[in-house]
Amino acid sequence: MATVITEECINCGACEPECPNTAIYEGGAQWELNGATTPAIKDDLYYIVPDKCTECVGFFDQEQCAAVCPVDCCIPDPNIPETDEVLIERARVLHPDQTFGAEYPSRFRKG
């Protein structure tokens, strides 16, 4: 599942710099992928672009936005269920210059 920022967000911005995929944007900000700019998903709150979110799979064993969120509003989106395999493939596409070995970090492999 892509991570989503819920309405409880206080717009502190702590999450944005933590994302390894630059998938988090301030409300109202346009987002970019593959050179194309797209209108904001939300106008009033920070948001996560599902096409860029890997739930930090390939980078960390926990979503970094959730780890720093002071109000616990970064959660897996129940409307967009995705598997570990889908998320690591997205990481590979987003970061073609990086190698993700067989033991890449993933919240799916946690404890």
Side-chain angles (χ1 to χ4, degrees):
M1 298 173 224
T3 303
V4 66
I5 298 174
T6 67
E7 296 296 317
E8 287 79 25
C9 177
I10 59 172
N11 281 321
C12 70
C15 56
E16 185 179 16
E18 301 302 319
C19 181
N21 303 308
T22 62
I24 302 174
Y25 293 83
E26 185 174 4
Q30 297 178 331
W31 58 277
E32 184 273 327
L33 180 61
N34 299 325
T37 303
T38 305
I41 293 174
K42 289 185 179 179
D43 290 324
D44 54 345
L45 297 174
Y46 276 82
Y47 65 90
I48 300 173
V49 176
D51 291 341
K52 295 177 76 174
C53 180
T54 64
E55 294 183 34
C56 293
V57 168
F59 298 95
F60 304 100
D61 65 359
Q62 176 184 10
E63 298 93 333
Q64 296 303 285
C65 56
V68 299
C69 181
V71 292
D72 297 325
C73 68
C74 299
I75 61 168
D77 187 343
N79 298 317
I80 307 175
E82 295 178 305
T83 64
D84 183 65
E85 293 78 19
V86 167
L87 296 168
I88 191 61
E89 185 54 34
R90 182 174 299 139
R92 289 180 174 123
V93 170
L94 291 171
H95 303 277
D97 56 324
Q98 294 188 20
T99 301
F100 298 95
E103 297 302 316
Y104 58 85
S106 172
R107 74 175 184 86
F108 292 92
R109 298 177 184 187
K110 232 177 139 174

